[in-house]
Amino acid sequence: MPPNPPPATSLSRRRLLGAGMTAGAGAMLVACGGPAGEIEAPKGEPERGGRLRVGLTGGGASDTLDAHLPVNTTDIARCINLYETLLYYNDDYVLTPLLATKVTSSPNAKVWTAHLRRDVVFHDGRPMTGKDVAATFARITDPKDPKSGAAGLTDLDKVVVAGEHKVEFHLKSPNAAFDDSLGQYANGIVPADYDPKHPVGTGPFKVKSFTAGQQSVFARHDHYWRQGQPYLDELVILDFSDDDAIVNALLSSQVDAIGQIPLALTQVIGSDPRVNVLTSPTGSWMPFTMRIDKKPFDDKRVRQAFRLAVDRKQMIEQVYSGHGRIGNDMYAPFDPAYSKDLPQRRQDIRQAKKLLADAGHPNGLDVELVTAPIQSGAVEAAQVFAQQAKKAGIRVNIRRVDSTTFFGDNYLKWTFAQDFWYTRNFLPQVNSGTAQDAPFNETHWKNAKFTKLVAEATKTINEGQRNRLIEQAQKILYDEGGYIIWGFSDQADAYQKYVAGLKPNRTGLSLSGFQFRRVWLGGSNS
Amino acid sequence: MTRLIVRRLAISVIILIIVSILVFLATLLLPGDPARAILGQQATPERLHALREQMHLNDPIWQRYLSWFGGLFVGNFGTSTATGSSVGALLGPRIVNSLVLMVVAAVISVPVGIAAGTYGAIRRGRAGDHAATGVSLVLAALPEFVIGIGLIALLSTSVMHLLPSVTMNPPGEHVWDHPTQLILPIVTLVLVVTPYIIRMMRATMIEVLDSGFVEMARLKGVPERQAILKHAVPHALGPVAQVIAIQLAWLVGGIVVVEFLFRYPGVGAALVNAVDNRDVQVVQTLSMLIAAVYVVVNLLADIVGIVTNPKLRTEVAK
């Protein structure tokens, strides 16, 4: 079957802008008679010094430096460079020690012990101790003012300081995946007397100046515990409100690196000989969410039919410009327990029609799909889906709202909509979005057997046993769940070739997971 | 004449009052309320209630309108919900930044437009006129973001790397401390505004040049240069003032797109951001500001029209 043409929408502003850029790049090639002398990327030992200017979109007037309240991309970038967590997810999305040398669990998974590094000092020169760690988690879980990470720490009963460099986390109920929370960027360790007005952490950089919605200037933390790092003297994070402005800023050399470029522009931007594009496979997903408690999705045959109506390969091609991998209606592809053996779901119009007929919709059905530009490609995905579903007799009426409305009063209440999630492992993802009482249960998922399996898995320390339980839980989602998970996107960033030290990173966060401690500038630019 | 001007003035005031009511009602229609927007996902019913009380969201609508409208007169524009500081403090520097763009663009495009239009009218039908007409027609048809993107591709990112494509002045410094950053946004605005002025000036001049009194002046032996500058141009300025006024007023609204494109820290960018954040106070203040500039500029154009139009002058003389 030939691929469908993209849905015929009116020429949107963004499309026109994209076309303008393409034309511009074409003009450049004509003007130069082919790419100018290839610029070599720096090699060898990292060089010290220099100033890295990073452009990011997504911030605004409500930007913050608070270690525990990061909301948007620029907040996260600041957070990761100012503060550090006990553990962190490395480039391969494996939980790795950071401020803790190791974190161990008691046999019943109710007490977790973190052994802290002894060589860590805060920006103001004081050493980090167990007291600071305890105070940090007290601040995050303050019942009067819970912070972003509190939702993942509901199991936490108390934090006991067991020594200068040893801390115990006592849980209310066993949780074999508790260490995941210790690796979340919103749970950075701060001093016991932390005040967000004087943001002090242990990160590779410290605050020099900060203007919400405009720019943040960070200086090197001279007593950083990792030998030699960071290499940069200064890190500048600039807020942009528009994809076009940010790409232009890179191409006119006003910034050195930009996060998250539209996937459709990777080729155009990469064709500039001065620029490198960094592509990372991620576990980020943009599902369609069907409420399983609302008509027509309360019938699992309808949900299955919708899943069979999707041409996943075409979605990846058209929405992500081919930069992604197809999904199988299950999340957490980097979790060791991810079920790779379940048959890959493909478009099957006949079966979809049959399921719809069985469910009492022999003539197809009409649904409203609520979409918003919540993430690059979201609206396009809705449009492509509407086209594909038509063949199965599903008439999709797209209702486009702005992001603020989407995440407003009706968020988590839409009958059929979309959402966006970064890379996560299975159990943390369930706790965020699929557990019965999860804070973001968009599909209103409720399944006794699933809940039991998850509870079982949460208690199970033995990894092999736990993974088998997770696989069973995943099978239920695969068969009956309310998500259409059609793919996982790549993440593309762009930077000037003299910027070194950026590597592909699976977390879904831009520019190597924002780990600018590893970045250095080559040649005359340092 | 005075009576006409006073009447125009009164109409302007009524228009502004109507606009203020419309703006107020429109912001009420924005989905999501400010209290919820501030508290976000951590909104508990108690905190929502307390904040609504604090922001007077529970007062009757007419009372909220009056206290807002009254505030405008004493310079109290309310509190920005996104930043928590006063709207005046937030917008002050941005208004200055936008004014810099607009004033420079106006100072360039008005004389250039008048001169080029006059030139076209005098050299009517010749190659130079044809070229100018053609170019201005094309430019007039292009939206500002197309012109802006074209300029960026040409001068900044793709063909040549001469000028910065976005404004990046560090907070605390003035936009004019980095003059090269101002060039592209200003050129964009000039290219958008000037063609209309050229076309209107050319058409009006052609009409004036063909009229009896210019013919008479020529026949009396007034040198051509003087006939044009002293007799024709002043008569053409009245109608052209209207077009210039509309263009200047457009600058106030059209600057939103240009600022967005060039990451320029002016009122346009602030407006886009405020709508995103449901920062109602900022949206209201900026809408009123833009409306006020529209009204004032049009008022001035009317006055220029009244002063330069002999018919209206004689009517008053009666």
Side-chain angles (χ1 to χ4, degrees), chain B residues 141-163:
Chain B
L142 290 176
E144 58 273 24
F145 64 84
V146 174
I147 295 178
I149 287 175
L151 286 175
I152 290 174
L154 185 69
L155 296 173
S156 179
T157 58
S158 298
V159 183
M160 289 175 271
H161 304 281
L162 295 176
L163 293 168

mmCIF file of all heavy atoms in Angstrom, chain B residues 141-163:
data_model
loop_
_atom_site.group_PDB
_atom_site.id
_atom_site.type_symbol
_atom_site.label_atom_id
_atom_site.label_comp_id
_atom_site.label_asym_id
_atom_site.label_seq_id
_atom_site.Cartn_x
_atom_site.Cartn_y
_atom_site.Cartn_z
ATOM 1 N N ALA B 141 2.527 42.561 -0.407
ATOM 2 C CA ALA B 141 1.752 41.324 -0.396
ATOM 3 C C ALA B 141 2.319 40.308 0.591
ATOM 4 O O ALA B 141 1.653 39.350 0.956
ATOM 5 C CB ALA B 141 1.724 40.722 -1.797
ATOM 6 N N LEU B 142 3.571 40.491 1.014
ATOM 7 C CA LEU B 142 4.210 39.484 1.875
ATOM 8 C C LEU B 142 3.937 39.765 3.346
ATOM 9 O O LEU B 142 4.072 40.896 3.797
ATOM 10 C CB LEU B 142 5.729 39.490 1.646
ATOM 11 C CG LEU B 142 6.211 38.955 0.307
ATOM 12 C CD1 LEU B 142 7.719 39.128 0.197
ATOM 13 C CD2 LEU B 142 5.845 37.498 0.153
ATOM 14 N N PRO B 143 3.575 38.733 4.102
ATOM 15 C CA PRO B 143 3.415 38.937 5.547
ATOM 16 C C PRO B 143 4.772 39.196 6.195
ATOM 17 O O PRO B 143 5.811 38.798 5.651
ATOM 18 C CB PRO B 143 2.839 37.616 6.049
ATOM 19 C CG PRO B 143 2.693 36.737 4.885
ATOM 20 C CD PRO B 143 3.319 37.360 3.694
ATOM 21 N N GLU B 144 4.739 39.819 7.367
ATOM 22 C CA GLU B 144 5.994 40.254 7.981
ATOM 23 C C GLU B 144 6.923 39.096 8.311
ATOM 24 O O GLU B 144 8.135 39.229 8.233
ATOM 25 C CB GLU B 144 5.714 41.104 9.225
ATOM 26 C CG GLU B 144 4.888 40.445 10.313
ATOM 27 C CD GLU B 144 3.395 40.623 10.079
ATOM 28 O OE1 GLU B 144 2.988 40.836 8.914
ATOM 29 O OE2 GLU B 144 2.637 40.548 11.060
ATOM 30 N N PHE B 145 6.347 37.915 8.658
ATOM 31 C CA PHE B 145 7.271 36.845 9.044
ATOM 32 C C PHE B 145 8.002 36.274 7.836
ATOM 33 O O PHE B 145 9.124 35.797 7.956
ATOM 34 C CB PHE B 145 6.571 35.757 9.859
ATOM 35 C CG PHE B 145 5.501 34.992 9.149
ATOM 36 C CD1 PHE B 145 5.820 33.905 8.335
ATOM 37 C CD2 PHE B 145 4.183 35.355 9.278
ATOM 38 C CE1 PHE B 145 4.841 33.199 7.697
ATOM 39 C CE2 PHE B 145 3.188 34.651 8.634
ATOM 40 C CZ PHE B 145 3.520 33.587 7.836
ATOM 41 N N VAL B 146 7.379 36.357 6.660
ATOM 42 C CA VAL B 146 8.078 35.889 5.462
ATOM 43 C C VAL B 146 9.252 36.811 5.153
ATOM 44 O O VAL B 146 10.371 36.362 4.885
ATOM 45 C CB VAL B 146 7.112 35.813 4.268
ATOM 46 C CG1 VAL B 146 7.871 35.476 2.998
ATOM 47 C CG2 VAL B 146 6.032 34.795 4.536
ATOM 48 N N ILE B 147 8.989 38.112 5.249
ATOM 49 C CA ILE B 147 10.080 39.067 5.020
ATOM 50 C C ILE B 147 11.188 38.847 6.043
ATOM 51 O O ILE B 147 12.370 38.786 5.714
ATOM 52 C CB ILE B 147 9.535 40.504 5.111
ATOM 53 C CG1 ILE B 147 8.545 40.740 3.961
ATOM 54 C CG2 ILE B 147 10.675 41.516 5.065
ATOM 55 C CD1 ILE B 147 7.911 42.112 3.971
ATOM 56 N N GLY B 148 10.795 38.680 7.303
ATOM 57 C CA GLY B 148 11.779 38.490 8.369
ATOM 58 C C GLY B 148 12.615 37.246 8.137
ATOM 59 O O GLY B 148 13.840 37.278 8.239
ATOM 60 N N ILE B 149 11.969 36.152 7.783
ATOM 61 C CA ILE B 149 12.695 34.902 7.567
ATOM 62 C C ILE B 149 13.605 35.013 6.359
ATOM 63 O O ILE B 149 14.750 34.542 6.362
ATOM 64 C CB ILE B 149 11.702 33.740 7.404
ATOM 65 C CG1 ILE B 149 11.105 33.422 8.751
ATOM 66 C CG2 ILE B 149 12.384 32.503 6.838
ATOM 67 C CD1 ILE B 149 10.048 32.395 8.717
ATOM 68 N N GLY B 150 13.109 35.669 5.336
ATOM 69 C CA GLY B 150 13.944 35.883 4.148
ATOM 70 C C GLY B 150 15.205 36.651 4.512
ATOM 71 O O GLY B 150 16.317 36.268 4.128
ATOM 72 N N LEU B 151 15.038 37.701 5.287
ATOM 73 C CA LEU B 151 16.203 38.500 5.685
ATOM 74 C C LEU B 151 17.163 37.687 6.538
ATOM 75 O O LEU B 151 18.382 37.777 6.376
ATOM 76 C CB LEU B 151 15.743 39.738 6.468
ATOM 77 C CG LEU B 151 15.088 40.853 5.652
ATOM 78 C CD1 LEU B 151 14.581 41.942 6.590
ATOM 79 C CD2 LEU B 151 16.074 41.435 4.661
ATOM 80 N N ILE B 152 16.613 36.888 7.439
ATOM 81 C CA ILE B 152 17.473 36.077 8.307
ATOM 82 C C ILE B 152 18.282 35.094 7.459
ATOM 83 O O ILE B 152 19.498 34.962 7.619
ATOM 84 C CB ILE B 152 16.634 35.316 9.350
ATOM 85 C CG1 ILE B 152 16.072 36.290 10.369
ATOM 86 C CG2 ILE B 152 17.467 34.246 10.043
ATOM 87 C CD1 ILE B 152 15.114 35.656 11.355
ATOM 88 N N ALA B 153 17.599 34.418 6.531
ATOM 89 C CA ALA B 153 18.300 33.441 5.693
ATOM 90 C C ALA B 153 19.368 34.131 4.856
ATOM 91 O O ALA B 153 20.469 33.618 4.678
ATOM 92 C CB ALA B 153 17.304 32.713 4.792
ATOM 93 N N LEU B 154 19.044 35.318 4.379
ATOM 94 C CA LEU B 154 19.960 36.016 3.478
ATOM 95 C C LEU B 154 21.157 36.601 4.221
ATOM 96 O O LEU B 154 22.304 36.448 3.813
ATOM 97 C CB LEU B 154 19.184 37.138 2.768
ATOM 98 C CG LEU B 154 19.939 37.900 1.693
ATOM 99 C CD1 LEU B 154 20.188 36.997 0.506
ATOM 100 C CD2 LEU B 154 19.147 39.128 1.262
ATOM 101 N N LEU B 155 20.900 37.274 5.336
ATOM 102 C CA LEU B 155 21.948 38.067 5.971
ATOM 103 C C LEU B 155 22.535 37.440 7.228
ATOM 104 O O LEU B 155 23.532 37.904 7.748
ATOM 105 C CB LEU B 155 21.385 39.447 6.339
ATOM 106 C CG LEU B 155 20.948 40.304 5.151
ATOM 107 C CD1 LEU B 155 20.256 41.557 5.643
ATOM 108 C CD2 LEU B 155 22.146 40.655 4.286
ATOM 109 N N SER B 156 21.899 36.379 7.716
ATOM 110 C CA SER B 156 22.319 35.939 9.036
ATOM 111 C C SER B 156 22.694 34.465 9.111
ATOM 112 O O SER B 156 23.715 34.106 9.681
ATOM 113 C CB SER B 156 21.189 36.252 10.006
ATOM 114 O OG SER B 156 21.521 35.844 11.273
ATOM 115 N N THR B 157 21.885 33.587 8.536
ATOM 116 C CA THR B 157 22.133 32.174 8.808
ATOM 117 C C THR B 157 22.644 31.394 7.609
ATOM 118 O O THR B 157 23.555 30.588 7.740
ATOM 119 C CB THR B 157 20.853 31.489 9.289
ATOM 120 O OG1 THR B 157 19.844 31.635 8.300
ATOM 121 C CG2 THR B 157 20.379 32.080 10.579
ATOM 122 N N SER B 158 22.072 31.616 6.428
ATOM 123 C CA SER B 158 22.362 30.683 5.354
ATOM 124 C C SER B 158 23.304 31.227 4.293
ATOM 125 O O SER B 158 24.337 30.641 4.007
ATOM 126 C CB SER B 158 21.060 30.244 4.685
ATOM 127 O OG SER B 158 20.271 29.576 5.625
ATOM 128 N N VAL B 159 22.946 32.355 3.709
ATOM 129 C CA VAL B 159 23.748 32.857 2.589
ATOM 130 C C VAL B 159 24.971 33.599 3.104
ATOM 131 O O VAL B 159 26.113 33.289 2.765
ATOM 132 C CB VAL B 159 22.892 33.764 1.690
ATOM 133 C CG1 VAL B 159 23.713 34.217 0.497
ATOM 134 C CG2 VAL B 159 21.648 33.012 1.234
ATOM 135 N N MET B 160 24.729 34.600 3.919
ATOM 136 C CA MET B 160 25.839 35.356 4.503
ATOM 137 C C MET B 160 25.692 35.349 6.019
ATOM 138 O O MET B 160 24.584 35.250 6.534
ATOM 139 C CB MET B 160 25.800 36.803 3.997
ATOM 140 C CG MET B 160 26.185 36.941 2.546
ATOM 141 S SD MET B 160 25.983 38.634 2.002
ATOM 142 C CE MET B 160 24.293 38.651 1.466
ATOM 143 N N HIS B 161 26.792 35.446 6.711
ATOM 144 C CA HIS B 161 26.722 35.479 8.172
ATOM 145 C C HIS B 161 27.144 36.857 8.654
ATOM 146 O O HIS B 161 28.201 37.025 9.237
ATOM 147 C CB HIS B 161 27.604 34.397 8.779
ATOM 148 C CG HIS B 161 27.277 33.027 8.270
ATOM 149 N ND1 HIS B 161 26.208 32.303 8.730
ATOM 150 C CD2 HIS B 161 27.861 32.263 7.331
ATOM 151 C CE1 HIS B 161 26.147 31.150 8.089
ATOM 152 N NE2 HIS B 161 27.145 31.109 7.226
ATOM 153 N N LEU B 162 26.307 37.841 8.351
ATOM 154 C CA LEU B 162 26.706 39.211 8.649
ATOM 155 C C LEU B 162 26.114 39.728 9.956
ATOM 156 O O LEU B 162 26.780 40.408 10.719
ATOM 157 C CB LEU B 162 26.249 40.135 7.502
ATOM 158 C CG LEU B 162 26.902 39.893 6.148
ATOM 159 C CD1 LEU B 162 26.295 40.808 5.102
ATOM 160 C CD2 LEU B 162 28.400 40.140 6.252
ATOM 161 N N LEU B 163 24.848 39.383 10.186
ATOM 162 C CA LEU B 163 24.146 40.011 11.309
ATOM 163 C C LEU B 163 23.594 38.948 12.257
ATOM 164 O O LEU B 163 23.280 37.850 11.842
ATOM 165 C CB LEU B 163 22.972 40.838 10.760
ATOM 166 C CG LEU B 163 23.340 42.052 9.928
ATOM 167 C CD1 LEU B 163 22.125 42.588 9.217
ATOM 168 C CD2 LEU B 163 23.943 43.120 10.828
#
